[in-house]
Amino acid sequence: MLDVIDLEVIDKGVSTEAHPVPLLFLHGGCHAAWCWDEHFLDYFAEHGFRAVAVSYRGHGNSGLDKPLRKCSLDDYLDDARQIAAGLDTAPVLIGHSTGGFLIQKHFEDGDAPAAVLLASAPPQGILRGALRVWRHHPWIAMRNNIVGNNHGIFNTPALAREHLFSPGTPEEIVADCATRVEKDSVRAVFTDMAFRLPKPAAVRAPVLVLGGVEDGTITNDEVHATARAFGTTAELFPGMGHNMMLEPGWRDVADRIRTWLGERGL
């Protein structure tokens, strides 16, 4: 039951007259709220926003009500909605990777003032991305599926750089992330994201779609496909990999989000 799960929430800043709508940040697979707390939460709090990040059940310091391998994408979506419902008003949703896919699923029967998708899994699902991992790292992929979690594709500096960061990212950033990635549910971040696809055609909220030119997890074509599905144009950042909120150029991404929100009175 949701009411017995203690979810980790990092909550910074307060809503202001200039920015009355809070921001809710949703992390990607094998990450937790900490990935937003490195830079983004302080940045947006300092610019007059209330910035909130949640760790889904079984991630970060959040509790868990069943084995992680049995958690579904719906469970993670319930966690995000639980935190959103506790805010003063419906938040802008900002999601990275799996978090972006969660936002797309939320829009099937929910709403939001606006959404930002960073290096998001596309509406077509993650199957092609999973097949890329199988092709390049078959033994790791096989082991992940046997044990029911998939952090093994990120948990060394070499693998983290290949999938999560650009070649130019300083080694200390890559190595730190490799030590912090954690187990995740293959059911949630592979099975559900491969076969339970969202329906973006009905979305009426404005959506900003961002990606990294050197992303080793989500291809540029997939970022463009996401943008087309929401009737907009993708913006790709040169020299940036998958973890756009942790790359040295993170401030350029944050500036673009803030400008986009401001243009919409948010």
Side-chain angles (χ1 to χ4, degrees), residues 64-247:
L64 189 61
D65 62 341
K66 57 188 171 185
L68 182 62
R69 69 180 182 277
K70 294 186 177 181
C71 289
S72 67
L73 202 67
D74 285 340
D75 290 326
Y76 296 171
L77 184 55
D78 283 344
D79 296 339
R81 286 174 165 173
Q82 176 184 340
I83 302 308
L87 301 177
D88 294 336
T89 187
V92 171
L93 301 175
I94 301 176
H96 171 250
S97 197
T98 296
F101 197 84
L102 279 177
I103 291 172
Q104 297 175 54
K105 293 296 289 182
H106 166 74
F107 277 125
E108 289 182 355
D109 57 6
D111 203 358
V116 181
L117 308 181
L118 276 71
S120 175
Q124 294 84 359
I126 202 66
L127 185 58
R128 288 184 179 178
L131 291 175
R132 290 193 294 268
V133 174
W134 273 93
R135 186 165 59 250
H136 293 107
H137 300 287
W139 293 112
I140 294 176
M142 184 180 299
R143 184 181 65 212
N144 289 346
N145 281 274
I146 291 172
V147 301
N149 71 71
N150 66 348
H151 79 305
I153 62 171
F154 305 130
N155 66 353
T156 70
L159 289 168
R161 184 177 295 280
E162 177 182 347
H163 295 109
L164 301 177
F165 294 97
S166 67
T169 303
E171 182 64 17
E172 59 267 25
I173 295 176
V174 178
D176 178 68
C177 184
T179 65
R180 300 180 78 170
V181 295
E182 54 190 76
K183 295 178 180 179
D184 212 328
S185 166
V186 168
R187 175 184 176 184
V189 301
F190 169 61
T191 306
D192 287 350
M193 291 175 61
F195 302 108
R196 298 187 61 238
L197 305 183
K199 303 175 179 64
V203 176
R204 296 293 176 263
V207 178
L208 176 65
V209 178
L210 306 177
V213 169
E214 298 186 36
D215 191 334
T217 296
I218 302 296
T219 68
N220 290 181
D221 285 346
E222 288 168 335
V223 178
H224 286 300
T226 299
R228 286 194 300 272
F230 287 96
T232 188
T233 302
E235 300 179 31
L236 295 170
F237 287 73
M240 188 162 286
H242 187 63
N243 274 2
M244 303 177 71
M245 64 288 191
L246 297 174
E247 289 272 15

Side-chain angles (χ1 to χ4, degrees), residues 21-25 44 49-53 87 91-94 257 261:
V21 179
L23 311 178
L24 179 58
F25 292 85
F44 283 99
F49 292 87
R50 183 181 180 188
V52 180
L87 301 177
V92 171
L93 301 175
I94 301 176
I257 294 171
L261 292 173

